[in-house]
Amino acid sequence: MHAKLEDKCKQLMKNYDRMKPGNGLEYNQLLAAGAAMYVAAGKEVDAERLKECKKLLKSRKGIFSNYRGTAEFIVRCKLALSEDPKSYFERLDRVYREMKTALSSEQDLLAAIVITDFVKAGEESAAVQKTKSIYKEMHKTHPWLTGKEDMPFAALMAITNKDSVSVYEEAENNFTILKENLSATPGTRQMISHVLALYPGHAEIKCDKICRIAKGLKEAKHPLPKDYYMAILGTLAGSSLPAEELVGMIAEADDLLKKHKGFGGIFGIGSSVRRMLAVQMVEAVQEKSSTADETSAGMISSMIGSSIEVSIITLVLMYAVIASSSAA
């Protein structure tokens, strides 16, 4: 097994174990997603700091008091990972107030997190407006496919140096190619097309790579479902490795994670979420750009890649929680 990949998987499992104390009532999948956020940030979970950030959220009445469960936990992790939780909270609060509408949801909150993380102080309002403009283009082109789940990806496209029309035209080109070649739900194809628009390179090459990875995982018996789970594959578009090698690495990571009691077995996080995390661990060991100048030129840094992954995983978990609540 690739040594760096094995290290990342072990970090994920260690962070998951550190997440458990004091968070026993949270869904295992949510704890795993939080643990993965720490891996992407290159940090170990500090259970005491997480506890303090939970107190901080509870002490602040208003906008965030409407959110519980998935969204609240993600915000708590973001606060704990920040240098100054109080300052991060205040800035996120300001951005979200600009982002929100009468029909706002957790997805708008994820978009606000993206802007808070990657936009310079004083430039947030422009990023919010660009996000809304891109989302409007999405909805105009695909009114039946576009929903609030696309808002975080509109925000990610907004932080590039491209204008809202050109970046969305690139996403639409990706969608057209994927429609003919990727076996997935229409909503999943659209989400992947948005992710691919963030990465440099020719649309045909990026789309072909994702299609070959999806097919390869199915043949290797490590498939991802055809719904939003599969969208995580878009984060591998920037890898220099061939699709076949990436498939092998994902399978290795999946097999290793499955051995951990929290990730395998009847009471584990489930094979679909585990494979999403396996993809994230593979993405985490890819060589990529990480400087501010290169990011502004359209390159994807490791932390922006992490934001894509967190958005996808969080959205999947939100829908899973809603479905399980409805069934109950």
Side-chain angles (χ1 to χ4, degrees):
M1 185 176 189
H2 296 69
K4 289 184 179 179
L5 179 58
E6 184 176 4
D7 287 343
K8 289 293 182 184
C9 290
K10 288 181 177 178
Q11 288 173 26
L12 176 64
M13 293 184 281
K14 183 177 181 180
N15 279 335
Y16 176 82
D17 290 337
R18 285 173 173 251
M19 277 277 185
K20 292 290 285 185
N23 293 300
L25 297 179
E26 304 289 355
Y27 286 89
N28 287 338
Q29 294 94 329
L30 193 52
L31 296 179
M37 291 173 64
Y38 276 81
V39 173
K43 296 183 178 182
E44 290 189 355
V45 171
D46 183 335
E48 195 58 38
R49 188 175 175 85
L50 269 173
K51 192 183 299 183
E52 290 301 314
C53 289
K54 186 174 185 177
K55 291 179 183 178
L56 172 62
L57 277 179
K58 284 189 174 182
S59 70
R60 301 298 178 99
K61 301 294 183 182
I63 236 172
F64 295 110
S65 62
N66 297 323
Y67 295 114
R68 294 292 183 269
T70 308
E72 186 270 341
F73 186 76
I74 294 300
V75 172
R76 198 195 321 163
C77 288
K78 296 299 292 187
L79 292 177
L81 284 167
S82 68
E83 293 295 326
D84 185 341
K86 289 184 179 179
S87 295
Y88 184 92
F89 178 90
E90 290 168 359
R91 190 161 177 244
L92 176 60
D93 183 50
R94 290 196 300 272
V95 174
Y96 181 63
R97 287 179 187 277
E98 286 195 60
M99 178 68 65
K100 72 186 288 288
T101 64
L103 299 176
S104 279
S105 62
E106 290 91 342
Q107 292 89 334
D108 293 303
L109 180 54
L110 287 174
I113 288 173
V114 169
I115 292 171
T116 302
D117 284 349
F118 300 111
V119 175
K120 294 178 181 178
E123 298 179 5
E124 299 96 337
S125 294
V128 168
Q129 294 309 310
K130 189 174 179 181
T131 297
K132 291 180 177 180
S133 176
I134 291 173
Y135 181 79
K136 185 177 180 181
E137 288 292 327
M138 292 178 182
H139 196 273
K140 184 168 64 176
T141 307
H142 297 290
W144 299 108
L145 289 182
T146 303
K148 281 292 187 177
E149 66 273 6
D150 296 298
M151 190 62 81
F153 303 96
L156 284 160
M157 286 190 271
I159 65 175
T160 70
N161 67 338
K162 303 175 184 177
D163 65 84
S164 57
V165 175
S166 64
V167 72
Y168 187 66
E169 285 179 348
E170 186 172 344
E172 184 59 20
N173 189 21
N174 294 330
F175 180 79
T176 301
I177 297 170
L178 292 173
K179 186 177 180 180
E180 299 297 324
N181 298 286
L182 182 65
S183 179
T185 65
T188 301
R189 293 191 198 108
Q190 174 162 281
M191 191 177 288
I192 295 175
S193 74
H194 297 160
V195 175
L196 295 184
L198 298 166
Y199 290 85
H202 296 291
E204 292 82 1
I205 295 174
K206 291 184 291 185
C207 291
D208 178 66
K209 188 167 198 171
I210 302 311
C211 292
R212 286 190 289 121
I213 294 172
K215 183 179 179 181
L217 287 173
K218 182 178 179 180
E219 292 173 348
K221 302 190 185 305
H222 291 268
L224 281 163
K226 297 180 181 180
D227 52 16
Y228 291 139
Y229 292 92
M230 189 181 286
I232 197 76
L233 295 180
T235 62
L236 296 174
S239 172
S240 60
L241 298 178
E244 294 74 20
E245 186 171 348
L246 291 169
V247 167
M249 292 175 71
I250 295 168
E252 287 182 344
D254 187 25
D255 287 338
L256 178 57
L257 293 175
K258 189 177 181 179
K259 295 177 182 178
H260 187 279
K261 63 181 180 180
F263 295 166
I266 298 175
F267 300 106
I269 62 175
S271 61
S272 296
V273 173
R274 186 181 67 243
R275 286 167 190 160
M276 290 176 71
L277 295 174
V279 173
Q280 186 176 357
M281 295 304 101
V282 171
E283 195 279 335
V285 299
Q286 304 304 304
E287 293 186 4
K288 57 182 78 70
S289 160
S290 61
T291 67
D293 289 343
E294 289 170 324
T295 298
S296 65
M299 300 296 282
I300 299 298
S301 73
S302 58
M303 286 307 294
I304 292 180
S306 171
S307 260
I308 298 170
E309 294 154 358
V310 168
S311 295
I312 293 171
I313 291 173
T314 303
L315 289 169
V316 167
L317 295 180
M318 283 178 182
Y319 292 126
V321 170
I322 291 170
S324 63
S325 299
S326 299

